């Protein structure tokens, strides 16, 4: 039974006892549409993607946002993580090439692997260029 799970007393009130969200409802309605389509067709894949996005929105906006990201203790931890990440990012060599390259203690360059998502920077966008300040 759901209410007997170890996390139920804390999480269920925050999640309004898992009340159906518009995102989850949209995702479930898309399942009905997908089941009527020919597998592999363009429309089938489009509906699958729409379903995935609806369920992902439910997970992020309805569940994780309320349970985790709105928690002050987690927000403080996340702020410390971001500060540590910013400090770690200073070890990257500044260059005009993208993605960035690691620099080891002997200043040897180690280029990123060509495989996608080989490390955490492959999915990031380059930092925005700051406009020059008028003097």
């Amino acid at each position: 039974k759901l209410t007997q799970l170890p996390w139920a007393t804390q999480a269920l009130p925050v999640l309004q006892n898992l009340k159906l969200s518009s995102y989850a409802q949209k995702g479930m309605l898309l399942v009905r549409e997908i089941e009527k389509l020919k597998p592999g067709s363009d429309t089938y894949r489009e509906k699958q993607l729409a379903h995935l996005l609806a369920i992902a929105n439910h997970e992020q906006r309805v569940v994780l946002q309320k349970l985790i990201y709105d928690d002050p203790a987690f927000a403080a931890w996340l702020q410390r993580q971001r500060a540590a990440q910013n400090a770690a990012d200073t070890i990257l060599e500044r260059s005009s090439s993208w993605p960035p390259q690691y620099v080891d203690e002997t200043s040897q360059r180690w280029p990123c692997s060509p495989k996608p998502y080989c490390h955490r920077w492959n999915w990031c966008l380059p930092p925005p260029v700051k406009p020059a300040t008028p003097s």
Side-chain angles (χ1 to χ4, degrees):
K1 195 171 184 183
L2 186 64
T3 56
Q4 294 174 342
L5 292 171
W7 48 264
T9 56
Q10 286 182 302
L12 288 178
V14 173
L15 298 175
Q16 299 176 350
N17 293 307
L18 295 175
K19 177 180 140 188
L20 182 63
S21 74
S22 61
Y23 303 110
Q25 184 176 21
K26 179 179 179 181
M28 297 307 152
L29 292 173
L30 283 164
V31 169
R32 287 184 186 169
E33 292 180 37
I34 291 167
E35 289 173 343
K36 296 175 185 174
L37 296 171
K38 179 183 175 191
S41 68
D42 288 344
T43 306
Y44 186 86
R45 288 190 291 272
E46 288 168 9
K47 296 289 182 178
Q48 281 183 313
L49 179 59
H51 171 264
L52 175 68
L53 293 174
I55 299 303
N57 271 311
H58 170 78
E59 180 181 334
Q60 287 294 317
R61 297 171 188 263
V62 177
V63 177
L64 294 176
Q65 185 68 43
K66 292 178 181 177
L67 279 181
I68 297 172
Y69 302 125
D70 289 346
D71 180 325
F74 182 77
W77 177 85
L78 194 57
Q79 193 170 26
R80 288 191 303 274
Q81 276 298 107
R82 286 181 182 142
Q85 179 66 53
N86 288 338
D89 286 347
T90 61
I91 67 168
L92 291 175
E93 176 184 16
R94 293 196 179 273
S95 71
S96 59
S97 65
W98 189 257
Q101 304 209 347
Y102 289 107
V103 179
D104 73 6
E105 292 172 356
T106 61
S107 297
Q108 293 175 338
R109 295 182 188 177
W110 297 96
C112 295
S113 166
K115 292 182 179 179
Y117 308 106
C118 64
H119 62 76
R120 63 184 171 184
W121 287 284
N122 274 10
W123 54 266
C124 294
L125 295 174
V129 178
K130 294 182 181 178
T133 53
S135 29

